[in-house]
Amino acid sequence: MPDGDRKDRELHHRVGDGRWHRPGPPRRPRQGIRAGPRGSGDPGRAPPEYAQGIYATPGTHDALIRFSNGSPHAGADARLGAATGPALKIFGIDGPTLLEDEPDTGTFDYANINAPIFFCNTVEHYLFIQELFLDAPSYFSHCRPGAHRFFTEFVTGKGTLDQDNWAWDEFLAFLRLSKIPPVNVLLSSYRTMGAVRHGDYIAKVRITPDPHSAAAVVRRAVDPASAPEVFRPALQAELRERSYVFDIQVQLCTDLERMPVEDTTVEWPEQLSPSVTVAKLRLPQQDISGPDNLEKMDSLSFTPWRVTAGHAPLGNIMRVRKEVYRHSSIARHKLNQQPRTEPRSADEVLGPARHGDHAGGE
């Protein structure tokens, strides 16, 4: 068996046996939001190289967003850090997905993070880095000596890497991500972890605040030390008072040397290729504080591979995510005793939208 296949099998086994899924409360409450992304209303506004795949034809679609934290632990926000991301599910998309066991769902997912880089490039890195993250509380409970041991084992791959291949790039990316300041989740930009196909092109996709919506946010800074939960109450309060808009933007790869596909620790320079808006993601004014909201959204599955062929994920770590997300979803639903089915509409998940909750056209 090729070594890459062996590592993938090991990763899938760890997900399947629950090693990387801890039963109990979600890591950070997964807040469900009704939304409605809209393709560019005027095809002439986006140049042909950006109007690709599902963005080639103007239209309106219902959608759901689930915000959650990237930590493998449960606990107060102060313990979990500021790494967050939205999982976006768009309904009514024509064409088969890249998931062999559910090709005809009519849904399209994004699973983005609030950073322009990632700290892991290969399945080999992912294996030891995830183990370190799971055991991080034990390391850091020993203060400075424990932190030194954590950092050393990160760089050396827990002693598995030759010195010439020590994970310095990944470690520096991790340090950069650890310094993300905590802000209201409505004010962050969220990018695909790696590159994706964009029709005939290679790209990264980001979900970024519309400037007018961002300017209206009242609860901008959050202090994780001030209360056990700070992110979710701030989000709930903003959407209870006003609607919100994100821009869905595409950044095309124009230089494979300076905008690599396989190295996710490298930020793609906007100077080489600026991000261009291809759709609007509209969050209507709504009350998302109901206790059943979390349960409904936690029952969903999101994966960067639930997309059409024209938007296929690219690169080593993105390829690994296909089976990792699938096995993680199967294990999580089994542990939580939830049916694992893909919804056909936002109404099927959250119930019929009340008046004013539709996020359709302008």
Side-chain angles (χ1 to χ4, degrees):
M1 178 185 296
D3 186 62
D5 290 345
R6 181 183 62 80
K7 292 292 187 181
D8 287 357
R9 184 73 57 83
E10 180 180 355
L11 190 62
H12 302 161
H13 173 70
R14 293 189 185 190
V15 172
D17 67 14
R19 169 72 171 117
W20 288 358
H21 174 75
R22 303 290 178 84
R27 295 169 293 188
R28 171 170 291 148
R30 299 177 174 191
Q31 192 68 70
I33 302 169
R34 191 183 300 273
R38 178 187 174 98
S40 175
D42 177 2
R45 289 167 57 186
E49 61 268 30
Y50 294 92
Q52 298 278 317
I54 68 171
Y55 302 108
T57 304
T60 302
H61 301 266
D62 284 338
L64 291 173
I65 302 179
R66 185 178 74 186
F67 282 98
S68 59
N69 175 262
S71 171
H73 304 285
D77 284 350
R79 181 176 176 232
L80 299 181
T84 56
L88 172 64
K89 188 176 295 293
I90 306 172
F91 297 97
I93 299 298
D94 294 331
T97 75
L98 296 177
L99 299 176
E100 291 80 3
D101 58 341
E102 46 177 303
D104 302 316
T105 59
T107 48
F108 186 106
D109 290 356
Y110 283 114
N112 291 15
I113 58 173
N114 61 336
I117 57 172
F118 191 54
F119 54 79
C120 181
N121 281 313
T122 67
V123 62
E124 289 83 5
H125 287 111
Y126 199 83
L127 283 167
F128 72 76
I129 290 173
Q130 275 296 96
E131 285 189 351
L132 286 170
F133 284 177
L134 285 169
D135 296 331
S138 175
Y139 282 97
F140 288 99
S141 68
H142 294 88
C143 301
R144 181 176 292 184
H148 288 171
R149 188 161 65 90
F150 177 90
F151 297 148
T152 299
E153 296 201 347
F154 192 118
V155 172
T156 64
K158 302 185 75 172
T160 64
L161 301 177
D162 295 333
Q163 186 170 353
D164 289 343
N165 294 316
W166 280 359
W168 286 113
D169 291 339
E170 290 76 12
F171 180 65
L172 293 174
F174 161 72
L175 291 180
R176 179 177 172 185
L177 292 173
S178 69
K179 295 178 181 178
I180 295 174
V183 298
N184 191 308
V185 295
L186 295 174
L187 297 176
S188 292
S189 292
Y190 304 95
R191 296 167 174 85
T192 48
M193 188 180 295
V196 297
R197 276 194 62 190
H198 188 67
D200 297 328
Y201 301 86
I202 297 171
K204 289 187 177 181
V205 178
R206 76 176 181 183
I207 301 170
T208 194
D210 171 86
H212 296 293
S213 288
V217 172
V218 175
R219 302 154 189 86
R220 306 184 70 81
V222 294
D223 179 8
S226 65
E229 272 194 304
V230 293
F231 290 95
R232 187 161 71 105
L235 175 63
Q236 289 176 347
E238 292 295 330
L239 290 181
R240 191 180 296 119
E241 296 173 2
R242 64 187 63 83
S243 60
Y244 195 84
V245 178
F246 282 101
D247 292 333
I248 298 179
Q249 298 184 331
V250 169
Q251 182 185 25
L252 297 181
C253 176
T254 58
D255 185 334
L256 281 172
E257 291 294 321
R258 298 176 63 185
M259 306 172 77
V261 170
E262 294 291 350
D263 191 346
T264 62
T265 68
V266 176
E267 181 175 357
W268 287 12
E270 286 280 329
Q271 302 94 313
L272 281 182
S273 177
S275 297
V276 173
T277 299
V278 295
K280 292 287 187 179
L281 179 62
R282 306 184 188 282
L283 283 55
Q285 184 177 350
Q286 58 193 289
D287 184 359
I288 56 174
S289 63
D292 60 341
N293 181 285
L294 300 180
E295 181 180 352
K296 289 177 179 179
M297 293 305 292
D298 198 45
S299 68
L300 299 181
S301 295
F302 295 85
T303 166
W305 284 86
R306 189 178 284 111
V307 294
T308 52
H311 300 273
L314 303 173
N316 184 300
I317 197 63
M318 294 290 273
R319 289 190 294 272
V320 168
R321 294 173 82 194
K322 183 176 185 179
E323 285 303 307
V324 167
Y325 274 62
R326 176 175 173 271
H327 284 268
S328 177
S329 172
I330 292 171
R332 177 166 58 86
H333 283 80
K334 182 178 180 180
L335 286 167
N336 294 337
Q337 297 182 333
Q338 296 169 321
R340 184 174 177 269
T341 57
E342 183 68 1
R344 295 286 178 168
S345 69
D347 287 352
E348 184 179 324
V349 179
L350 297 180
R354 296 185 299 272
H355 178 70
D357 277 1
H358 288 288
E362 296 174 282

